[in-house]
Amino acid sequence: MKILITGASGFIGFHLSKLLLDRGDEVIGLDNLNDYYDVNLKYSRLDLLKQYPNFTFYKIDLADRAGIENLFKSHAIQRVAHLAAQAGVRYSIQNPHTYVDSNVVGTLHILEGCRHYKIEHLVIASTSSVYGANTKQPFNATTDTTDHPMALYAATKKCCELMAHSYASLYDLPSTILRFFTVYGPWGRPDMALFLFTKAILKGEPINVFNQGRMIRDFTYVADIVEGIKRAIDSPAKSNSNWDSNHPALDSSYAPYRVYNIGNNSPVQLMEYIQAIETALGKKATYNMMPMQAGDVPSTYADVSTLESDLGYKPKTTVQEGVAEFVKWYREYYKA
């Protein structure tokens, strides 16, 4: 297939592009290569992707309406994996306009491209952050509302989910939403905990452990995530013939629209995660215990039963295995 991947030089976009290229798909990669984090890391990812003859890259900002339209016009794209977004819960507190421009306006431009150029299936990356103030866990996409976001980042991603439903309803555009749960692994983002902890421990610097270490996360290895995205791309969303408007399921619709959690389904405490890093590095950390950060939540836990039953998704990488793979990559890439 010919597949457009937005955010192709990003962490997850890079891994997904490589997976699809390896199986023979043609990938059109889009990214604006912004400086939210080290651009050199993005270029290193791109250098690997450009070794594939079936990969084409465009540097375009999602907010560039004409640029996005021309991209759709220039290629007979069949399916779209929309991963590009301004990420980061805490960064959204300081830079709210960036999130609306990228996540909301940018997604509208992608939806318009999909509508006018008859895309077979649109897959959109969302986040576990949309569950916000919910405390009942594991989070269930069928029954749990997402109406109480705790940061603007989550609110913009929820907005993207709703816009996608409106296009599925108005224009019969098959759309699948995937809510990611704390993705980690090689080539990861430098602003994520695993990257920050590894860098600090190797330098002998203390690490900031928020909520006094009582955080719980459904850490999900990137290879498991992109396997799930691939399965979603291959299975266009269908309408739910049993959908009841008097008692509406929240993860399906009368329109061709589905919502899935995609996580490891096996949450661990932050201190266990840190211990896995220490083991992989062969070095103990010095802890700087901190209070909870604004906009953060103490725990995430994904119910992935519908993704498993519908698409055969089954995460298989333990935190210990995944962290060891990241540390191996980090040492090689940074010669640490």
Side-chain angles (χ1 to χ4, degrees):
M1 291 184 290
K2 182 177 283 191
I3 301 171
L4 170 63
I5 298 179
T6 71
S9 73
F11 171 36
I12 300 173
F14 160 73
H15 282 280
L16 178 62
S17 297
K18 191 172 184 307
L19 180 66
L20 296 178
L21 290 165
D22 282 337
R23 78 169 186 178
D25 291 317
E26 182 177 348
V27 172
I28 310 298
L30 176 152
D31 207 295
N32 69 353
L33 296 169
N34 67 33
D35 61 358
Y36 171 62
Y37 62 81
D38 182 12
V39 176
N40 292 320
L41 183 56
K42 298 180 181 182
Y43 279 113
S44 293
R45 297 178 186 134
L46 269 182
D47 287 343
L48 291 176
L49 295 178
K50 287 178 178 179
Q51 295 176 18
Y52 290 87
N54 47 336
F55 178 76
T56 307
F57 178 75
Y58 292 89
K59 182 181 178 182
I60 304 175
D61 195 290
L62 286 176
D64 180 356
R65 179 178 174 180
I68 297 296
E69 183 178 354
N70 287 334
L71 178 63
F72 277 94
K73 187 185 298 183
S74 302
H75 295 276
I77 297 165
Q78 295 168 272
R79 302 188 182 186
V80 175
H82 179 36
L83 308 183
Q86 180 57 60
V89 171
R90 286 167 289 283
Y91 190 70
S92 70
I93 297 172
Q94 284 81 39
N95 301 274
H97 294 90
T98 301
Y99 284 74
V100 173
D101 291 342
S102 178
N103 300 2
V104 180
V105 176
T107 297
L108 175 61
H109 294 161
I110 295 297
L111 286 165
E112 279 290 281
C114 291
R115 165 198 172 190
H116 288 292
Y117 293 93
K118 308 302 180 186
I119 299 304
E120 298 170 357
H121 190 202
L122 169 64
V123 175
I124 296 181
S126 188
T127 172
S128 62
S129 297
V130 298
Y131 289 107
N134 287 7
T135 55
K136 181 185 73 65
Q137 294 192 22
F139 295 139
N140 186 302
T142 307
T143 59
D144 294 344
T145 65
T146 51
D147 295 332
H148 301 91
M150 297 176 69
L152 183 66
Y153 167 64
T156 62
K157 298 301 280 186
K158 173 65 174 178
C159 184
C160 294
E161 295 184 7
L162 296 175
M163 290 194 299
H165 182 272
S166 70
Y167 272 66
S169 177
L170 287 168
Y171 308 114
D172 203 33
L173 170 63
S175 301
T176 297
I177 307 297
L178 296 176
R179 293 172 178 163
F180 296 164
F181 280 69
T182 317
V183 189
Y184 73 100
W187 296 97
R189 289 191 353 236
D191 63 321
M192 298 293 284
L194 177 56
F195 208 109
L196 294 171
F197 289 168
T198 299
K199 182 178 180 180
I201 293 170
L202 285 173
K203 287 187 172 183
E205 298 172 351
I207 61 174
N208 292 329
V209 181
F210 292 99
N211 196 31
Q212 307 298 318
R214 292 190 292 271
M215 309 288 278
I216 296 174
R217 289 288 181 269
D218 205 347
F219 293 105
T220 312
Y221 190 59
V222 66
D224 291 331
I225 284 283
V226 297
E227 174 63 27
I229 301 172
K230 180 194 75 175
R231 288 170 183 259
I233 290 171
D234 292 347
S235 304
K238 296 180 176 63
S239 59
N240 180 358
S241 58
N242 296 316
W243 194 80
D244 182 354
S245 59
N246 289 317
H247 303 92
L250 303 178
D251 62 346
S252 62
S253 174
Y254 59 87
Y257 177 83
R258 287 305 308 262
V259 180
Y260 295 107
N261 291 331
I262 180 165
N264 199 46
N265 193 226
S266 182
V268 300
Q269 290 190 346
L270 179 58
M271 296 309 298
E272 181 181 342
Y273 192 62
I274 293 172
Q275 288 165 6
I277 302 170
E278 293 172 330
T279 298
L281 290 172
K283 188 174 183 181
K284 292 287 291 181
T286 301
Y287 308 145
N288 182 23
M289 294 299 188
M290 305 280 285
M292 179 83 83
Q293 296 183 100
D296 216 341
V297 296
S299 178
T300 64
Y301 180 5
D303 181 336
V304 298
S305 56
T306 54
L307 191 61
E308 182 176 348
S309 61
D310 290 357
L311 304 182
Y313 171 78
K314 190 74 174 176
K316 58 186 180 182
T317 310
T318 67
V319 161
Q320 289 73 22
E321 293 167 340
V323 166
E325 286 299 312
F326 171 83
V327 167
K328 177 183 176 183
W329 166 81
Y330 187 94
R331 286 188 180 278
E332 293 173 352
Y333 184 79
Y334 289 101
K335 299 178 174 57

